[in-house]
Amino acid sequence: MSLGRLTSSEEAEPSAEHTRVLDKFLPLWSLMASHSDTLVVFFGATAGANGGKLGSDEREIILLVWQIVDLHEKKVGKLHRCLVKPDSLELTEQCKEETGLTWEELCKAEPLDSVLQQFQQSVSSELKALGRSSYTLCVDGPLIIRQAFHPEASKKNLVLPDCFFSFVDLKKEFHKCCSNAGTVKDLTLSSMLEYIGVPALAEQVAGVQEVRSMVLLTLRLLSDPYNHKFTNFETVKYKFESGACSKTEAVDSETVIRARGLPWQSSDQDIARFFKGLNIAKGGVALCLNAQGRRNGEALVRFVSPEHRDLALERHKHHMGSRYIEVYKATGEEFLKIAGGTSNEVAQFLSKENQVIIRMRGLPFTATPENVLGFLGPESPVTDGSEGLLFVKYPDGRPTGDAFVLFACEEYAQNALKKHKQILGKRYIELFRSTAAEVQQVLNRYMSTPLISTLPPPPIVPMPVLATPPFLTSSSSRDCVRLRGLPYTAAIEDILEFMGEHAVDIKPHGVHMVLNQQGRPSGDAFIQMKSSDRAFMVAQKCHKKMMKDRYVEVFQCSTEEMSFVLMGGTLNRSGLSPPPCKLPCLSPPAYAAFPAPTALLPTEAALYQPPLLATPRAPQPPTHSAAPALAFYPPQPHAQLYMNMNMNYTAYYPSPPVSPSTVSYFAAPPGAMAAVAAQPPAPMMPQPGALVRMQGLPYNTGVKDVLSFFQGFQYAPDDYSSSGSVCNEPVKLQPDAVLLLYNFSGQRSGEALVTFPSEEAARRAVAERSNHHLSGHPIHLACCD
């Protein structure tokens, strides 16, 4: 219901339509309000927490009390007290004790919209009787206006009267006159009365005592020796202003919060509505995107002052629809990282203010501005034609399939959104509401140079091909967590976003994605934390938290339990089931470390160089040590490099490429160096012999495909002579002879190693089968000397 105006003289103050056109008119409204003839001392209470926590628990308003003070004659009007019927009649025990109200009394009351109409009519009639033309609300602190009235009116779709967008904070006005009385946040009605020598009132009716005390304070401030003039009027923005933010702009960290758990389709206007009553800076809503460029349910919000930021933190776990929203502190650096931009093209695109922004995704790479304008049609004209289009491109100028479009009004934008998933060319196009900050973020993401090429490559460390990975130890320390139920599309970046503030407690290279036998995500992951306490906190805070459209279970576990699963075992409620390892040295429970290799063969090491690193470091001289040890991840002092939060986590948090059912399928982890030990106690490969490297394999190639590729090739029994075996019939390759290789992302790299019993057999296989086709792909074979 739209509520009418409060004043009886229409020419006394600006109309609602004028004051609502951008908040740039609020200073004018404040100036006019500063000449108000009358103050309306106003008090309210909710069905939950009151006082300093009023509005923090989303409880509805149940009580309003007000009284008029004539600033010229220094007279007061009649005191009014009205009960308000909430939609939910539940009262907290604290509320019952402080207000003395019962649900029986509230059942007989009127709803909030009706009480506000009574308030308007009462104040208007008294103003007319006094011959006054304007008034301003006077409250004991901003909570009743900012944290109670505006959020509740927003949820109930009520349009508040204009008087609720400008008010006087009596505590701040008192502090101007009596600065020695203490800080504003420490002032109370009783302490202020005591300071000016006025006895505290002993009124038993809830709300009446507060209003009468405020009236006494007001009259005293108007009199000698203070003779105070009420000029500091606070305002509430009518509307959120969108805008651009520069990377060079200074952003106070005390004004920024992070909101989590937002519906994925939320716009900046939806977020501004959630924080209704608090003033958000121009362009101060930045929606966060995940690694795939989709919204991840988080946003950074910048307010006009630390005071408003602190009030926003009180809305932690308040609801947006049926979802509760988490609100945390953030920094100005985080905000600029998301919302700041440096592109002149983006700045020019966003220079047109008060435009509705729509994001188009999935455009054909050959799409032109004319194609897009024709797709949108005449019913949704783009602002300034093709100048209202911004195509997102890679640094080399290639199109990404994304574009942003400007519309002059909401109606045009709505018409465009109706074309969601309609066809342009041979592709369906997705359309979403967007924001200026999202434009900056998407452009920054695509135009930034990849960080991976500028980072130093990890040092080459000897590592046996089939030896136990470094995370497999016999430790029982519960410093790990297991994530179960991940979306199959989840990447390591999604896990780090899911963990939020706890991501800084992850050990370097401590994220391990668990893949199935086909090399695809299994929905599980293991994460190594810096301590068991950190692991416990993650399990407590993140258990059953949502990632995309699924909730994820988080359990604390030990390193030993993680090792069992990553080696192919199972971990369930009945306990541990060991992996079906074939090699005796890997059979549980003997997860002992292997002797350190004594030699590193450059040719073999090159096979496992990380493909994502542009300039691999030269192999280090081999080290000799009698102590059994395994080194894989770089030791200190390099560890700090890998905790750089700006790095490509896919590359620098490598995961085991597969969780095999047999150890034979376990390839060297990404980034590791393959080495062949000079001493025989620790076998380096499934079986002795010579290696053949296969290149150009289809990415879905499995072990059976490789075996079928060599089906027409059989080595003779005498080929086994070098290995000491005796056989009188032709021998075929066995599955244990095939080793598929994986890249950093845990995906197959298109390469494989095949073990033959002798160098002669390997050379003959290369000669006979090289450049033959597998699933239409020519396969290149080469012997590894």
Side-chain angles (χ1 to χ4, degrees), residues 477-500:
S477 174
R478 298 179 62 79
D479 59 351
C480 301
V481 290
R482 181 185 188 185
L483 274 58
R484 188 168 67 185
L486 295 169
Y488 294 126
T489 58
I492 293 178
E493 292 89 343
D494 299 320
I495 292 179
L496 295 174
E497 291 173 358
F498 171 79
M499 295 185 64

Side-chain angles (χ1 to χ4, degrees), residues 64 204 337 343 355 368-369 382 466 592-593 729 771:
L64 296 181
Q204 299 299 321
K337 184 178 179 182
S343 170
Q355 300 289 314
T368 64
V382 178
L466 287 178
E729 296 181 2
N771 294 323

Side-chain angles (χ1 to χ4, degrees), residues 166-241:
S166 179
F167 61 91
V168 171
D169 186 342
L170 185 59
K171 289 182 178 179
K172 292 182 179 179
E173 298 296 319
F174 178 85
H175 188 263
K176 286 183 180 179
C177 301
C178 310
S179 57
N180 295 329
T183 60
V184 174
K185 66 178 183 179
D186 294 329
L187 294 176
T188 63
L189 287 175
S190 58
S191 67
M192 290 188 289
L193 288 173
E194 181 180 357
Y195 187 86
I196 62 176
V198 176
L201 299 178
E203 178 62 56
Q204 299 299 321
V205 181
V208 175
Q209 177 182 353
E210 287 82 356
V211 169
R212 286 181 174 172
S213 298
M214 293 166 66
V215 170
L216 285 176
L217 280 169
T218 303
L219 294 175
R220 187 61 184 269
L221 294 179
L222 292 172
S223 305
D224 293 332
Y226 304 108
N227 296 317
H228 180 65
K229 301 295 183 183
F230 290 88
T231 57
N232 188 19
F233 291 80
E234 294 196 35
T235 59
V236 179
K237 286 189 175 184
Y238 283 100
K239 181 181 178 182
F240 166 70
E241 285 185 89

Side-chain angles (χ1 to χ4, degrees), residues 238-308:
Y238 283 100
K239 181 181 178 182
F240 166 70
E241 285 185 89
S242 60
C245 177
S246 171
K247 285 280 189 186
T248 60
E249 185 175 344
V251 177
D252 184 0
S253 292
E254 297 299 314
T255 63
V256 182
I257 62 94
R258 179 184 292 272
R260 292 178 177 168
L262 299 166
W264 65 269
Q265 69 272 34
S266 299
S267 66
D268 53 354
Q269 297 294 339
D270 296 323
I271 296 170
R273 184 174 181 179
F274 175 79
F275 290 107
K276 188 67 175 177
L278 308 179
N279 292 345
I280 299 175
K282 182 178 179 179
V285 176
L287 296 166
C288 301
L289 306 179
N290 61 18
Q292 287 74 40
R294 300 176 184 270
R295 297 174 187 171
N296 64 0
E298 295 189 11
L300 292 167
V301 185
R302 177 188 178 192
F303 293 91
V304 296
S305 69
E307 178 187 1
H308 289 241

Side-chain angles (χ1 to χ4, degrees), residues 436-729:
E438 186 173 17
V439 176
Q440 297 279 23
Q441 191 177 174
V442 172
L443 266 294
N444 291 344
R445 180 184 297 271
Y446 282 114
M447 294 300 294
S448 61
T449 304
L451 294 173
I452 189 67
S453 59
T454 64
L455 295 172
I460 298 174
V461 184
M463 174 68 187
V465 177
L466 287 178
T468 308
F471 45 78
L472 297 183
T473 68
S474 57
S475 170
S476 59
S477 174
R478 298 179 62 79
D479 59 351
C480 301
V481 290
R482 181 185 188 185
L483 274 58
R484 188 168 67 185
L486 295 169
Y488 294 126
T489 58
I492 293 178
E493 292 89 343
D494 299 320
I495 292 179
L496 295 174
E497 291 173 358
F498 171 79
M499 295 185 64
E501 58 191 283
H502 302 288
V504 297
D505 297 325
I506 301 174
K507 286 184 178 180
H509 311 287
V511 180
H512 307 289
M513 304 291 288
V514 180
L515 308 181
N516 58 24
Q517 296 182 35
Q518 289 74 39
R520 297 172 181 170
S522 65
D524 281 22
F526 284 90
I527 299 175
Q528 292 175 282
M529 308 300 293
K530 292 182 179 179
S531 67
S532 57
D533 293 337
R534 306 291 173 85
F536 174 80
M537 289 300 298
V538 172
Q540 292 294 313
K541 296 293 182 64
C542 297
H543 184 55
K544 292 195 175 180
K545 183 180 171 182
M546 299 297 293
M547 180 187 291
K548 299 182 180 178
D549 57 345
R550 302 187 64 176
Y551 74 86
V552 178
E553 298 175 301
V554 183
F555 305 101
Q556 187 180 9
C557 66
S558 68
T559 310
E560 183 180 17
E561 292 170 337
M562 179 184 69
S563 302
F564 270 82
V565 176
L566 292 180
M567 286 301 296
T570 58
L571 174 62
N572 48 44
R573 295 181 180 177
S574 4
L576 291 172
S577 299
C581 302
K582 292 185 177 182
L583 299 178
C585 59
L586 292 180
S587 298
Y591 282 92
F594 285 80
T598 57
L600 178 67
L601 302 183
T603 306
E604 294 301 320
L607 293 176
Y608 291 89
Q609 274 292 350
L612 297 183
L613 296 177
T615 56
R617 183 179 298 179
Q620 302 295 323
T623 58
H624 301 269
S625 174
L630 262 184
F632 171 42
Y633 295 112
Q636 297 292 344
H638 301 286
Q640 298 96 310
L641 296 175
Y642 296 93
M643 290 309 293
N644 186 340
M645 299 306 289
N646 292 324
M647 288 186 180
N648 184 320
Y649 290 108
T650 305
Y652 282 86
Y653 279 84
S655 303
V658 68
S659 290
S661 58
T662 65
V663 180
S664 307
Y665 290 75
F666 196 95
M673 290 297 128
V676 179
Q679 302 299 329
M684 295 299 110
M685 296 173 212
Q687 58 192 45
L691 283 176
V692 170
R693 184 181 186 182
M694 303 182 68
Q695 294 177 304
L697 294 171
Y699 293 116
N700 59 350
T701 300
V703 174
K704 293 182 178 180
D705 300 317
V706 174
L707 295 176
S708 66
F709 177 81
F710 289 102
Q711 186 174 5
F713 172 78
Q714 295 179 342
Y715 44 83
D718 56 0
D719 290 335
Y720 252 124
S721 59
S722 61
S723 64
S725 300
V726 178
C727 184
N728 296 320
E729 296 181 2

Side-chain angles (χ1 to χ4, degrees), residues 44-50 54-64 83-92 95 99 101 106 110-113 144 147-149 151-153 155-156 158 318:
T46 69
N50 290 290
L54 187 145
S56 62
D57 54 3
E58 293 187 281
R59 296 293 184 133
E60 297 172 89
I61 297 169
I62 58 171
L63 174 65
L64 296 181
L83 300 183
V84 181
K85 181 180 180 180
D87 293 342
S88 173
L89 296 177
E90 295 182 3
L91 303 179
T92 63
C95 172
T99 64
L101 297 175
L106 296 177
E110 297 291 332
L112 180 61
D113 54 350
I144 183 62
Q147 297 286 72
F149 261 97
E152 183 171 340
K155 291 179 180 178
K156 295 182 176 180
L158 299 178
H318 283 205

